[in-house]
Amino acid sequence: MTTGTEASTDAKAATGAEASTAFRARIEHVDTDATGIVHFSRYTSLIETVGTEHLEEYGAGLTAFTAAGVDLVATELQVTYLNSAVHRDVVVGDTRVEHVGAAWFTLAVDLLREEGDGTRTPLVSGRLVYAAVDPDTRRPVPLPAPLRHALRGIVPDAADDERSTPRPRLRSRS
């Protein structure tokens, strides 16, 4: 896919924070299955790419977590398929940080087809839950304070009470 990102000024104005990112990708032949539509597995990859690029733009991405000595692991992925895309369609992704807890956060990603007349058709709606883990033990750790604050700066309704949010279950490597 040919891709690019741009900050959404509408989201900044609506929330007072940088809460959404528009992401564009043109569907290539390699993204499609034998019927000519985008293979369902490509959407999950796009959801992750759109979400992590969004975090990078606001200083709370994988690069920042690695620099802070913490890894992020996906603990949950939810995808709802709404419509299909085909070769040469332009797909736009919007991302929101929906919730920030003590050791995890949730990203919501919507993928939409940009039509020739400028309207957008919903394709996929997804949610990714990321947890912070120690790189050596793979056990949950708190989100580093500066990154937790950065994430909260891009979510319009982040919970302030960290005790109210359960930690996602992680399996340790034996």
Side-chain angles (χ1 to χ4, degrees):
M1 282 183 210
T2 307
T3 60
T5 60
E6 60 186 45
S8 172
T9 54
D10 293 338
K12 292 178 195 177
T15 64
E18 299 177 44
S20 182
T21 297
F23 176 93
R24 282 188 154 62
R26 181 170 299 278
I27 301 300
E28 297 178 6
H29 185 328
V30 70
D31 301 316
T32 63
D33 62 17
T35 66
I37 64 172
V38 172
H39 191 270
F40 74 93
S41 65
R42 295 298 293 144
Y43 291 112
T44 58
S45 177
L46 259 178
I47 288 169
E48 180 185 31
T49 299
V50 170
T52 56
E53 284 297 315
H54 174 75
L55 296 177
E56 288 293 337
E57 287 181 25
Y58 302 111
L62 299 176
T63 304
F65 275 90
T66 299
V70 174
D71 283 349
L72 284 181
V73 295
T75 62
E76 186 176 332
L77 170 65
Q78 176 186 15
V79 180
T80 302
Y81 299 94
L82 305 167
N83 289 292
S84 299
V86 297
H87 179 247
R88 302 294 297 156
D89 278 351
V90 174
V91 175
V92 177
D94 288 321
T95 303
R96 296 167 312 286
V97 176
E98 282 194 334
H99 182 81
V100 181
W104 62 280
F105 61 93
T106 304
L107 290 179
V109 177
D110 294 319
L111 300 177
L112 307 104
R113 179 178 48 244
E114 191 168 76
E115 307 294 351
D117 64 1
T119 61
R120 293 180 176 179
T121 302
L123 299 173
V124 173
S125 178
R127 287 198 168 39
L128 268 167
V129 176
Y130 284 104
V133 298
D134 178 279
D136 296 323
T137 66
R138 308 309 288 170
R139 307 289 277 166
V141 296
L143 293 168
L147 295 173
R148 186 173 58 246
H149 294 298
L151 289 165
R152 285 196 171 143
I154 55 176
V155 61
D157 61 353
D160 289 323
D161 185 348
E162 296 172 2
R163 296 165 298 185
S164 68
T165 59
R167 288 178 140 172
R169 292 184 176 180
L170 297 177
R171 295 184 184 145
S172 62
R173 289 191 260 176
S174 301

